[in-house]
Amino acid sequence: MMQWSLRITAYADRLLQGLDTIEWSDSLKEIQKNWIGRSEGATIFFKIKDHDLALEVFTTRPDTIFGSTFMVIAPEHEWTEKITTPEYSEKVKAYTIAASNRTERERMTEVKTVSGQFTGAYCDHPFTGNPIPVYVADYVLAGYGTGAIMAVPAHDSRDYAFAKHFGLPIVEVVAGGNIEEGSYDAKTGTLINSDFINDMQVNAAITTVIQQLEDKGIGSKRINFRLRDAIFSRQRYWGEPFPVYYKDGMPYMMDESKLPLELPEVDKYLPTESGEPPLARANNWQTEEGYPIETNTMPGFAGSSAYFLRYMDPKNDKELVSREAIEYWQDVDLYIGGAEHATGHLIYARFWNKFLYDIGVSVKEEPFKKLINQGMIQGRSSFVYRVKGTSKFVSYNLRKDYETMPIHVDVNIVHNDILDTDAFKKWNPEYKDAEFVLEEGKYICGWEVEKMSKSFHNVVNPDDLIQRYGADTLRLYEMFLGPLEYAKPWDTNGIEGVFRFMKKLWRLYHTNNNAFEVSEEKASPAELKALHKTIKKISEDIEKFSFNTAVSQFMICVNELTDLKCNKREILSPLATVVSSFAPHIAEELWQQLGNKESIVSAPFPQWKEEYIADAMDMYPVSFNGKTRFKIEMPAGSTKEEVEAAVLKADEAQKWLEGKAPKKVIVVPKKIVNVVI
RNA sequence: GCCCGGAUGGUGGAAUUGGUAGACACCCAGGACUUAAAAUCCUGUGUCCAUUGCGGACGUGCGGGUUCAAGUCCCGCUCCGGGUACCA
């Protein structure tokens, strides 16, 4: 079947290099790096005896060429049949057929089993001229490299296993391993048994061999990628149609003036009787001139690869995006999403954007400047243990006495791991006659952390929490749980703390009788410090997406202001603004109470002033031989010498000095003092 | 197997460039207020020793190292999570 493909491989190198310019997680970059799979090596031609052909192989280790004792080609290799000698023809045919009948799954599970077949053919070693037998084996993949390899059993574990199995010679060419025990695959060591590259190190040998191959015209340096071109056609109805028509069997692009090309009406969204895609059912699926239009449609990633550009200018009916819009918006500042798209959408979108950049549509090479993998909130599943073949359920700690089957049970009928047995009977008609073996009068459930999913019956509905604590508390609590990237099981222990904070915040603006009351008095330095410290920390934490520490700073601030009994507008008004991006509802309410007519969303985020935060005194922890012993306060801006003198004079220092003179005193300004004795 | 993350109190977690480990919370214990409860507030809370007052030792998965100083850097392990798999 003829298919459209996107030549993503043409961008392989740039997709790889671009990773260095974007702020994505290491793991995601690593997945893409492996997927692209760049490997540097050489392509080498081995002349086949009695044929006018040369077998091309790809290798990352041209330095080991003198250790090559056999060749292997993939069963699907185009020359398999051609080079096989009549003597081996039957066997090779049988092997090839057997290999092609094995499913992907079988090939994967049988990774460790060695199989192959000699073809009867030989190659000439390009340097020694020695004959090298050619085998066919399915551990060589047709789709990677050239579908043929030069096998170096001494330095490749797969070739080693193959050689051992078929009793082929193993020649060590890089010193450093023990080839009696296994192959030595490391890319370091000194070359031996290798003619003109003897005594060289691996890297030098690689360069030298490539040079020789190029001089002799039988090979060259080559970079190979694991990345494959992406099949871009689908034989279904729903998808963007290709603006392509056929004239004399040749495809032509439709003129831009004829776009957009819209899906035609069809009687059924099914293939035709002759197996053509659904679009072939349409009447008049042809150009004005009568040329037939392509009947395949595009896959889902056609749209998902560029929608972010379209969002910049969604109503434009002339082009994807206007120059003006793209120059304004440029790229996506922040993409929050899952790692599961690493080798699909996230790589296609990068590729499309690079292509659009090349033709002058996009203005940035990379579409997503920063990407954060939000951690998954997992579920905590509960289990009951059914005694096999009965409707009897046994409590968690007694399950060992029976032969049981764990069954997921709805977490909403389990409280503190204790099952509500009545609710369980009603939960599923299948269990209406359930009997229970209890421990201490209770049915205890087992538990496990799993993905939150309906099929595991561990889904919790936030509505109940919102009912009890409000949406702001839930929102704040989710942030407070830990770093954005962390996966963690959903656990409501701790939500009380956030709820208490909300109530404390409210109380700052209200009297004991819950009447709104703020003072117009001037703020004290301590109050200003509490506020400005908070504005600073929140500003920084937002930039770092460190929301858990931001919430904790709000708590600190509210605790401090409560201790200071502060209810001054000068403090509480900016505080509400800072809080509003975290707990919007309560902040808006307080904002209105403060007498503002406009919504808090239009209030500018306050700027902190360093002068309010700066201390008049610096606190120095003083340690002796690295152990903190006491603290000393020094006026801000004291010199190292002043700090040192003050420390040595301090009463507490005498105890630790024991009358001896210190060997050394280290003073780190604004940080610490360490006395070495 | 290979690659990438991670391991800090009973728990979730904090700790800019190496510079007071355990911020902020939860839990737990004790106390105040109350007829009572809820709510609120106060005190304690890494471990061990001492506890009459002070205080002291140990401590960031394990074993080494660098440094005046290591949760943070280096070397060697263990365990957990994720990715990937005959890629030559």
Side-chain angles (χ1 to χ4, degrees):
Chain A
M1 182 167 56
M2 289 289 272
Q3 300 252 56
W4 290 96
S5 287
L6 289 189
R7 208 149 70 86
I8 189 170
T9 50
Y11 282 77
D13 237 339
R14 285 170 66 190
L15 287 167
L16 200 58
Q17 284 161 13
L19 290 173
D20 295 333
T21 68
I22 50 183
E23 297 168 62
W24 290 21
S25 70
D26 288 341
S27 66
L28 206 48
K29 286 187 183 183
E30 204 61 32
I31 293 170
Q32 290 209 343
K33 225 174 258 180
N34 294 339
W35 188 256
I36 296 166
R38 179 185 199 271
S39 53
E40 225 171 283
T43 170
I44 308 172
F45 290 91
F46 284 70
K47 163 93 181 57
I48 303 171
K49 271 196 200 314
D50 310 322
H51 282 277
D52 210 12
L53 299 169
L55 191 62
E56 184 183 10
V57 304
F58 173 73
T59 178
T60 55
R61 295 296 301 276
D63 57 308
T64 61
I65 193 162
F66 289 97
S68 173
T69 53
F70 57 100
M71 315 285 295
V72 185
I73 60 175
E76 301 87 352
H77 196 278
E78 55 172 335
W79 292 349
T80 305
E81 221 173 306
K82 194 186 283 181
I83 64 170
T84 299
T85 59
E87 193 189 349
Y88 289 93
S89 169
E90 287 292 305
K91 284 179 176 167
V92 168
K93 197 171 279 176
Y95 182 80
T96 316
I97 290 165
S100 67
N101 284 341
R102 286 166 73 197
T103 63
E104 191 100 341
R105 182 171 286 261
E106 280 170 338
R107 273 174 93 144
M108 260 160 74
T109 51
E110 291 168 25
V111 160
K112 296 284 172 282
T113 36
V114 177
S115 76
Q117 174 59 48
F118 180 45
T119 61
Y122 288 86
C123 284
D124 293 328
H125 190 284
F127 294 115
T128 64
N130 291 339
I132 311 175
V134 181
Y135 281 73
V136 54
D138 66 2
Y139 83 90
V140 171
L141 307 174
Y144 182 78
T146 60
I149 61 158
M150 63 169 207
V152 184
H155 304 287
D156 181 286
S157 54
R158 295 152 305 177
D159 297 344
Y160 188 88
F162 194 87
K164 282 280 178 195
H165 188 261
F166 287 96
L168 294 158
I170 298 170
V171 179
E172 186 180 26
V173 288
V174 182
N178 178 358
I179 62 156
E180 296 301 317
E181 282 173 15
S183 64
Y184 174 69
D185 297 11
K187 219 174 167 178
T188 51
T190 309
L191 273 290
I192 53 174
N193 301 326
S194 292
D195 195 354
F196 61 90
I197 47 171
N198 273 333
D199 302 325
M200 283 188 188
Q201 293 302 298
V202 168
N203 284 331
I206 289 174
T207 325
T208 311
V209 170
I210 292 174
Q211 191 56 55
Q212 283 284 320
L213 291 168
E214 285 176 352
D215 290 350
K216 295 180 76 162
I218 51 165
S220 58
K221 186 175 167 158
R222 159 115 172 242
I223 291 156
N224 202 48
F225 293 94
R226 178 186 176 278
L227 188 71
R228 298 269 72 92
D229 281 332
I231 305 271
F232 194 60
S233 33
R234 299 289 182 271
Q235 294 71 49
R236 61 176 182 196
Y237 179 81
W238 295 109
E240 298 84 343
F242 287 83
V244 167
Y245 63 93
Y246 292 87
K247 193 161 111 187
D248 305 326
M250 288 296 292
Y252 294 90
M253 300 306 294
M254 285 168 72
D255 193 82
E256 271 191 45
S257 63
K258 299 283 189 294
L259 301 183
L261 176 65
E262 286 176 16
L263 280 169
E265 283 194 29
V266 291
D267 55 346
K268 279 187 267 188
Y269 301 121
L270 292 170
T272 64
E273 283 64 34
S274 57
E276 294 289 301
L279 293 198
R281 290 179 171 276
N283 297 320
N284 281 327
W285 191 234
Q286 54 188 24
T287 62
E288 287 160 12
E289 299 80 19
Y291 297 118
I293 300 175
E294 170 68 55
T295 54
N296 282 291
T297 53
M298 299 187 198
F301 75 85
S304 71
S305 294
Y307 72 91
F308 48 90
L309 297 174
R310 185 62 185 165
Y311 277 15
M312 297 171 183
D313 196 6
K315 302 223 164 82
N316 191 333
D317 60 1
K318 299 278 177 291
E319 56 201 333
L320 174 63
V321 56
S322 73
R323 201 69 214 157
E324 191 191 2
I326 193 130
E327 273 171 4
Y328 177 76
W329 293 104
Q330 305 200 9
D331 54 4
V332 175
D333 297 303
L334 174 67
Y335 186 120
I336 295 188
E340 65 270 23
H341 296 124
T343 57
H345 162 60
L346 287 175
I347 207 159
Y348 293 134
R350 290 184 60 221
F351 157 53
W352 274 57
N353 195 74
K354 279 180 193 299
F355 172 74
L356 291 171
Y357 174 83
D358 289 349
I359 63 169
V361 174
S362 193
V363 296
K364 291 275 183 162
E365 269 216 57
E366 288 291 340
F368 314 131
K369 195 171 5 184
K370 185 178 173 79
L371 187 145
I372 295 177
N373 290 134
Q374 188 183 21
M376 203 193 309
I377 296 296
Q378 299 152 312
R380 187 179 186 274
S381 307
S382 289
F383 293 90
V384 292
Y385 300 86
R386 181 186 206 153
V387 180
K388 277 192 178 159
T390 72
S391 56
K392 205 193 261 181
F393 294 85
V394 56
S395 187
Y396 180 73
N397 294 299
L398 305 172
R399 73 193 191 288
K400 302 240 160 40
D401 304 335
Y402 302 82
E403 207 185 316
T404 59
M405 262 271 292
I407 297 171
H408 278 92
V409 60
D410 188 344
V411 290
N412 296 299
I413 58 170
V414 178
H415 303 281
N416 294 324
D417 294 333
I418 299 163
L419 178 71
D420 180 338
T421 50
D422 291 333
F424 179 69
K425 289 184 191 174
K426 284 179 209 143
W427 176 53
N428 186 331
E430 201 186 322
Y431 305 135
K432 68 179 192 306
D433 300 319
E435 293 170 58
F436 302 95
V437 181
L438 307 176
E439 51 184 309
E440 292 168 11
K442 294 175 224 154
Y443 188 96
I444 311 287
C445 297
W447 60 273
E448 224 169 278
V449 171
E450 296 175 303
K451 200 165 153 178
M452 211 181 265
S453 157
K454 270 187 191 162
S455 61
F456 296 148
H457 303 294
N458 62 0
V459 175
V460 287
N461 189 335
D463 291 354
D464 304 342
L465 290 168
I466 291 173
Q467 188 68 37
R468 188 169 153 71
Y469 298 105
D472 280 344
T473 301
L474 179 68
R475 189 179 147 97
L476 233 44
Y477 179 58
E478 287 185 305
M479 296 188 206
F480 189 60
L481 270 175
L484 184 57
E485 299 89 341
Y486 281 27
K488 51 178 53 117
W490 178 242
D491 172 11
T492 51
N493 290 334
I495 198 166
E496 285 290 342
V498 176
F499 190 47
R500 272 175 215 152
F501 157 76
M502 294 285 285
K503 288 189 282 192
K504 276 185 182 176
L505 174 72
W506 180 263
R507 253 181 268 130
L508 286 175
Y509 299 74
H510 294 83
T511 64
N512 289 339
N513 301 322
N514 200 24
F516 176 78
E517 188 182 293
V518 293
S519 143
E520 303 299 329
E521 252 179 89
K522 203 103 190 73
S524 71
E527 292 163 342
L528 285 167
K529 186 176 177 181
L531 173 70
H532 283 257
K533 218 168 60 179
T534 301
I535 301 173
K536 181 180 183 184
K537 176 90 173 120
I538 302 302
S539 308
E540 290 168 352
D541 284 352
I542 289 174
E543 290 300 319
K544 289 190 292 185
F545 299 91
S546 180
F547 302 131
N548 56 325
T549 53
V551 173
S552 118
Q553 180 59 40
F554 280 129
M555 289 173 169
I556 293 168
C557 181
V558 166
N559 287 345
E560 285 178 355
L561 293 177
T562 302
D563 288 344
L564 291 165
K565 299 193 171 33
C566 172
N567 72 334
K568 295 169 187 162
R569 178 184 293 274
E570 191 185 344
I571 301 296
L572 298 185
S573 181
L575 179 63
T577 324
V578 182
V579 167
S580 72
S581 28
F582 289 77
H585 304 90
I586 194 173
E588 185 70 58
E589 182 68 27
L590 294 169
W591 191 245
Q592 300 300 321
Q593 292 187 338
L594 283 162
N596 296 288
K597 295 284 174 280
E598 295 239 334
S599 165
I600 198 166
V601 297
S602 52
F605 197 88
Q607 178 62 45
W608 79 87
K609 292 211 175 90
E610 204 64 47
E611 59 190 280
Y612 294 135
I613 301 172
D615 287 296
M617 303 292 274
D618 284 334
M619 177 75 81
Y620 281 93
V622 179
S623 51
F624 287 78
N625 288 341
K627 285 185 178 142
T628 311
R629 297 303 182 181
F630 64 92
K631 288 164 195 165
I632 190 167
E633 263 199 345
M634 293 297 296
S638 301
T639 64
K640 282 190 183 188
E641 289 71 25
E642 285 164 352
V643 175
E644 180 174 339
V647 164
L648 296 179
K649 222 167 59 196
D651 290 343
E652 281 158 297
Q654 306 317 314
K655 176 177 165 190
W656 298 101
L657 283 169
E658 295 168 337
K660 286 176 273 190
K663 276 192 199 143
K664 199 173 175 185
V665 180
I666 290 135
V667 178
V668 183
K670 291 180 181 294
K671 286 269 165 80
I672 201 171
V673 178
N674 190 17
V675 182
V676 187
I677 37 176

